[in-house]
Amino acid sequence: MIRFFILLGAGVALSACQPAVPDSGRGVGFDDPTVVERRAREAALTGQNVVTPVLVTAPQNPPPFVNAPAPISTAAARPAPAPGSAEETAAETARVLAATRPGGSAPTQASPANPAPPVLNSTGISNENNFEAVSGQRSIESDAARIASNSAQYQVVQPEALPDRSSSSSPNIVAFALQTRHAVGTKVYRRGFTREARFERACAGFPSADQAQIAFLSSGGPDRDRAGMDPDGDGFACSWDPTPFRRAAQAG
């Protein structure tokens, strides 16, 4: 019996001397993943809710707000250019160029020392729409005199009859275009061999195709082509086209 108490006291002394072993399965604010998984599985089997601890870190203090330095006015700190220096020459050149712009005035440098700009029209409307300005320049009597002067100069022009073009000596290309029906390039008249150089030289002497067609009809065309202006025999010289005249007659 005494031996039992001796052994019991020795075991108690040894357990008191043994250091406490920390729980290595827990972290700082977190549980071991295996332990969390096991708890979740047991909660699912038993129907209980398991709250997983979450590590909440304290927010760091934001840096103190530093006031930005006030901007320094460069206009007040900038010294005036020295006489005869490159800066003065450049400034004078800029003023001269600005004076040649529409308006004839150089751009104004913003500065509190500049005087206030003059008010050209305080009413905000033009003189023609300003009753006070117009009343000082015009009157009812002057307007009546102006109307009477304009009426005295009014003239009625009687219409005149249009000239008769049938008696004109030059051919009428409009009438010729309406008399024909074939397309451009269709051979209607007999032609001999004409060199291309002759055709280009003959057509180059006319400022337009209409004048070339008039000259062509005046010199025996379309039956004869003495100058080589209609080598394909369609009756239209120098690529003249009667289609616009035909369309105009159909539209009318």
Side-chain angles (χ1 to χ4, degrees), residues 2 12-13 19 44-45 55 59 62 79 104 133 153 155 161 163 197 201-202 214 228 242 245 249:
I2 297 173
V12 173
L45 294 175
L55 177 62
Q153 298 177 5
Q155 296 180 0
R201 183 172 59 255
I214 294 174
F245 302 100

Side-chain angles (χ1 to χ4, degrees), residues 21-114:
V21 179
D23 187 5
S24 61
R26 296 182 60 86
V28 182
F30 292 91
D31 286 337
D32 185 34
T34 57
V35 177
V36 174
E37 184 179 359
R38 178 171 55 81
R39 291 181 180 177
R41 186 169 57 255
E42 293 177 355
L45 294 175
T46 58
Q48 299 178 358
N49 295 328
V50 179
V51 179
T52 305
V54 180
L55 177 62
V56 179
T57 58
Q60 298 180 358
N61 295 330
F65 178 76
V66 179
N67 294 329
I72 301 175
S73 177
T74 57
R78 183 181 302 167
S85 61
E87 291 80 2
E88 185 184 17
T89 304
E92 183 64 23
T93 303
R95 286 193 295 269
V96 172
L97 293 177
T100 59
R101 298 175 182 173
S105 60
T108 304
Q109 300 295 333
S111 175
N114 293 339

Side-chain angles (χ1 to χ4, degrees), residues 17 25 53 71 90 95 100 102 138 173 183 186 189 217 240:
C17 296
R95 286 193 295 269
T100 59
R138 299 179 183 177
I173 58 176
T186 302
Y189 305 97
L217 297 177
W240 180 75

Side-chain angles (χ1 to χ4, degrees), residues 1-251:
M1 191 64 176
I2 297 173
R3 182 180 298 176
F4 173 75
F5 284 107
I6 294 173
L7 294 176
L8 181 59
V12 173
L14 291 175
S15 62
C17 296
Q18 185 178 3
V21 179
D23 187 5
S24 61
R26 296 182 60 86
V28 182
F30 292 91
D31 286 337
D32 185 34
T34 57
V35 177
V36 174
E37 184 179 359
R38 178 171 55 81
R39 291 181 180 177
R41 186 169 57 255
E42 293 177 355
L45 294 175
T46 58
Q48 299 178 358
N49 295 328
V50 179
V51 179
T52 305
V54 180
L55 177 62
V56 179
T57 58
Q60 298 180 358
N61 295 330
F65 178 76
V66 179
N67 294 329
I72 301 175
S73 177
T74 57
R78 183 181 302 167
S85 61
E87 291 80 2
E88 185 184 17
T89 304
E92 183 64 23
T93 303
R95 286 193 295 269
V96 172
L97 293 177
T100 59
R101 298 175 182 173
S105 60
T108 304
Q109 300 295 333
S111 175
N114 293 339
V119 179
L120 301 179
N121 191 359
S122 59
T123 59
I125 58 177
S126 61
N127 290 336
E128 295 180 357
N129 297 326
N130 190 347
F131 179 77
E132 295 180 357
V134 173
S135 61
Q137 299 174 0
R138 299 179 183 177
S139 62
I140 298 177
E141 292 77 8
S142 63
D143 291 342
R146 186 180 299 104
I147 294 174
S149 176
N150 293 335
S151 300
Q153 298 177 5
Y154 181 77
Q155 296 180 0
V156 178
V157 178
Q158 298 296 333
E160 297 179 358
L162 297 176
D164 185 11
R165 298 182 181 274
S166 59
S167 59
S168 177
S169 59
S170 61
N172 191 339
I173 58 176
V174 178
F176 179 78
L178 299 180
Q179 292 173 1
T180 58
R181 294 290 183 271
H182 60 277
V184 176
T186 302
K187 186 175 182 179
V188 179
Y189 305 97
R190 185 177 180 179
R191 297 286 185 265
F193 177 75
T194 302
R195 296 180 179 272
E196 183 178 0
R198 182 188 178 190
F199 167 76
E200 294 179 355
R201 183 172 59 255
C203 293
F206 300 94
S208 65
D210 291 344
Q211 295 184 4
Q213 182 69 16
I214 294 174
F216 170 68
L217 297 177
S218 300
S219 60
D223 296 331
R224 291 177 295 178
D225 184 18
R226 299 176 179 177
M229 303 169 62
D230 181 27
D232 55 359
D234 60 353
F236 310 136
C238 299
S239 303
W240 180 75
D241 190 2
T243 304
F245 302 100
R246 296 173 182 174
R247 292 178 179 176
Q250 292 177 358

